[in-house]
Amino acid sequence: MTLTAKVPTRERILDAAWDLFVRRGYAGTTVAEIEAEASLSAGSGSLYRHFSSKEELLRAVVDREVERIDDARDMGPEPSETGGDVRVALALEFQRRLDNLRRLHPLIDLVRREHEHLGPSQQHLGDLLVEKNVSVRSQRLAAWMDAGAIPRRDPEALTTTILSALTGYHLAVEFFGGPPGGLREQELISTLVDLVAGT
Amino acid sequence: MTLTAKVPTRERILDAAWDLFVRRGYAGTTVAEIEAEASLSAGSGSLYRHFSSKEELLRAVVDREVERIDDARDMGPEPSETGGDVRVALALEFQRRLDNLRRLHPLIDLVRREHEHLGPSQQHLGDLLVEKNVSVRSQRLAAWMDAGAIPRRDPEALTTTILSALTGYHLAVEFFGGPPGGLREQELISTLVDLVAGT
DNA sequence: GTCTATACGAAGATAGAC
DNA sequence: GTCTATCTTCGTATAGAC
């Protein structure tokens, strides 16, 4: 079963462009380099048989990645197997969010850097990353408040505040190459759990 | 007193480049445009009498702005006039941090976008924005814990967590053009105060 | 639909007069 | 130390053969 289904040229171009745009940025990547990485002759312009311009290619790349996120929208298995321990459930949820941010960072960074070429894809990404998350997580928190497991507060404000903290931590790590103030990931999670659970 | 002290050409170039790099990015700004904005002849290359290359100019621009931050390093007046109300003092401190982030955002954004051209300036900026802040703020929190005004926790972990939340909120606003989850600034501050004060 | 070859424009940088 | 003029390189995009 040497299943070497040959990848269509258009896909190879998208793969190559995604890789190069992430690593070197839009302006820092030439069409010739993309062609070479896609096993086309560098400088031949064969790319233009598949995309009408370099900018259209960028938009196609971003749109494809955003679609993939939407497909992969799972927050992992429900933490019911934590034996109902709120602190453990919270810690798992925060951990998953940080993992997700790490996984999505190349896309987030690309969209941020090249937003001038992108148009509506940017707001769309914002919706995917934040808005849809808030409602789901708020409901879970509200349920715990109702059950008396954590102190009662505004669930949506609390959710967004937590998401901001996790996002800010992640961006500081990526941006400055290390955790802000030397705070390790487990310490951040533990601090947030303490704050939310009101320990 | 028509004190029109004429600004040296080098300064005018730095001003022009700062403005254009922030608005259009490094690659999106041409040397000719910078010359025009600095009241030199566009395309003349007169800029090269003051800077040996476009990249050196970028580094000079960033370095000058980083210096200005360091000079302006004040967290505002001590909040002793709050009558010792911890909640008010905390809210003021968080508010000032958000104001500072807004004020510094053009520089943060520029360094982030063009870090490939910059070298050591980036880590330096990280130090200025985070590291030095953590120690000062941690001590203040520790004092309040000693006084029993807020629950006792690890002061440094708490400080960094709060700074992450404020930074994440700020970046989400700048990035997506609006507050994450519709959370207004005052709601974020109030939520953080509640969490820290253990209300 | 991929190739070779090239047109075309943009932009960084230099030369030399003043 | 600023100007006009120009060199040179590079990169997007197109033309036309196969």
Side-chain angles (χ1 to χ4, degrees):
Chain A
M1 251 177 85
T2 44
L3 188 110
T4 4
K6 74 160 190 251
V7 179
T9 304
R10 186 189 160 89
E11 291 300 313
R12 292 206 317 276
I13 294 174
L14 285 170
D15 292 340
W18 165 243
D19 180 52
L20 288 166
F21 286 160
V22 164
R23 275 163 44 205
R24 307 190 198 166
Y26 177 76
T29 301
T30 71
V31 170
E33 287 170 332
I34 298 171
E35 287 170 335
E37 182 111 350
S39 303
L40 293 173
S41 176
S44 67
S46 293
L47 183 150
Y48 293 100
R49 292 281 162 180
H50 303 270
F51 300 93
S52 69
S53 73
K54 191 185 173 187
E55 240 188 9
E56 190 202 299
L57 172 58
L58 173 64
R59 285 190 291 266
V61 163
V62 169
D63 286 345
R64 187 182 67 159
E65 294 303 316
V66 170
E67 295 255 343
R68 286 179 175 173
I69 292 183
D70 220 0
D71 292 342
R73 158 169 312 291
D74 69 319
M75 311 210 315
E78 276 292 311
S80 351
E81 70 272 19
T82 61
D85 185 333
V86 177
R87 296 181 57 87
V88 174
L90 284 172
L92 278 177
E93 185 170 336
F94 298 164
Q95 181 69 61
R96 270 206 296 274
R97 176 65 175 180
L98 285 176
D99 291 342
N100 264 339
L101 285 171
R102 248 191 304 276
R103 190 168 54 81
L104 298 180
H105 189 260
L107 176 59
I108 296 172
D109 201 43
L110 181 62
V111 170
R112 169 157 186 72
R113 286 175 57 149
E114 314 300 349
H115 63 92
E116 57 201 320
H117 306 284
L118 285 176
S121 305
Q122 186 178 14
Q123 188 68 43
H124 187 199
L125 181 61
D127 291 348
L128 286 179
L129 287 179
V130 182
E131 312 302 338
K132 293 186 183 172
N133 267 294
V134 171
S135 60
V136 176
R137 290 165 198 268
S138 299
Q139 287 167 19
R140 216 183 277 187
L141 283 182
W144 278 325
M145 292 176 191
D146 291 341
I150 61 176
R152 175 164 302 282
R153 306 180 203 278
D154 180 331
E156 298 214 346
L158 184 57
T159 299
T160 312
T161 302
I162 294 168
L163 288 179
S164 292
L166 293 168
T167 306
Y169 178 84
H170 165 77
L171 289 175
V173 170
E174 295 282 346
F175 187 8
F176 300 121
L183 185 74
R184 284 182 319 243
E185 188 167 310
Q186 289 311 315
E187 293 175 311
L188 172 77
I189 291 176
S190 152
T191 302
L192 282 175
V193 168
D194 285 347
L195 289 174
V196 171
T199 309
Chain B
M1 251 179 84
T2 42
L3 188 110
T4 2
K6 72 162 191 252
V7 179
T9 303
R10 185 188 161 88
E11 291 299 314
R12 293 206 315 276
I13 293 174
L14 285 170
D15 293 340
W18 165 243
D19 180 53
L20 287 166
F21 286 160
V22 164
R23 275 165 43 206
R24 307 190 199 167
Y26 177 75
T29 301
T30 71
V31 170
E33 286 171 332
I34 298 171
E35 287 171 335
E37 181 110 350
S39 302
L40 293 173
S41 175
S44 67
S46 294
L47 183 149
Y48 293 99
R49 293 281 163 181
H50 302 270
F51 300 93
S52 69
S53 72
K54 190 185 173 188
E55 240 187 8
E56 189 201 300
L57 172 58
L58 173 65
R59 285 190 290 266
V61 163
V62 169
D63 287 345
R64 188 182 68 159
E65 294 303 316
V66 170
E67 295 256 342
R68 286 181 175 172
I69 291 184
D70 221 358
D71 293 341
R73 157 170 313 291
D74 70 319
M75 312 211 314
E78 276 292 311
S80 352
E81 70 271 20
T82 61
D85 184 333
V86 177
R87 298 181 55 88
V88 174
L90 284 172
L92 278 177
E93 186 170 334
F94 298 164
Q95 180 70 60
R96 270 205 296 275
R97 177 63 176 181
L98 284 176
D99 291 342
N100 264 340
L101 285 172
R102 248 191 305 275
R103 191 168 55 81
L104 298 180
H105 190 260
L107 176 60
I108 297 172
D109 200 44
L110 181 62
V111 170
R112 170 158 185 69
R113 285 175 58 150
E114 315 299 349
H115 63 93
E116 56 200 323
H117 306 284
L118 284 175
S121 304
Q122 185 179 14
Q123 189 68 44
H124 187 199
L125 180 61
D127 291 349
L128 286 180
L129 287 180
V130 181
E131 313 301 339
K132 293 186 182 172
N133 267 295
V134 170
S135 60
V136 176
R137 290 165 198 267
S138 299
Q139 287 166 17
R140 216 183 277 187
L141 283 181
W144 280 325
M145 292 176 191
D146 291 341
I150 61 176
R152 175 165 301 283
R153 306 180 203 278
D154 180 330
E156 298 213 347
L158 183 58
T159 299
T160 312
T161 301
I162 294 167
L163 288 179
S164 292
L166 294 169
T167 307
Y169 178 84
H170 165 77
L171 289 175
V173 170
E174 295 281 347
F175 187 7
F176 299 121
L183 185 74
R184 283 182 319 242
E185 187 166 312
Q186 288 312 316
E187 294 176 310
L188 172 79
I189 291 176
S190 154
T191 302
L192 283 174
V193 169
D194 285 347
L195 289 173
V196 171
T199 309

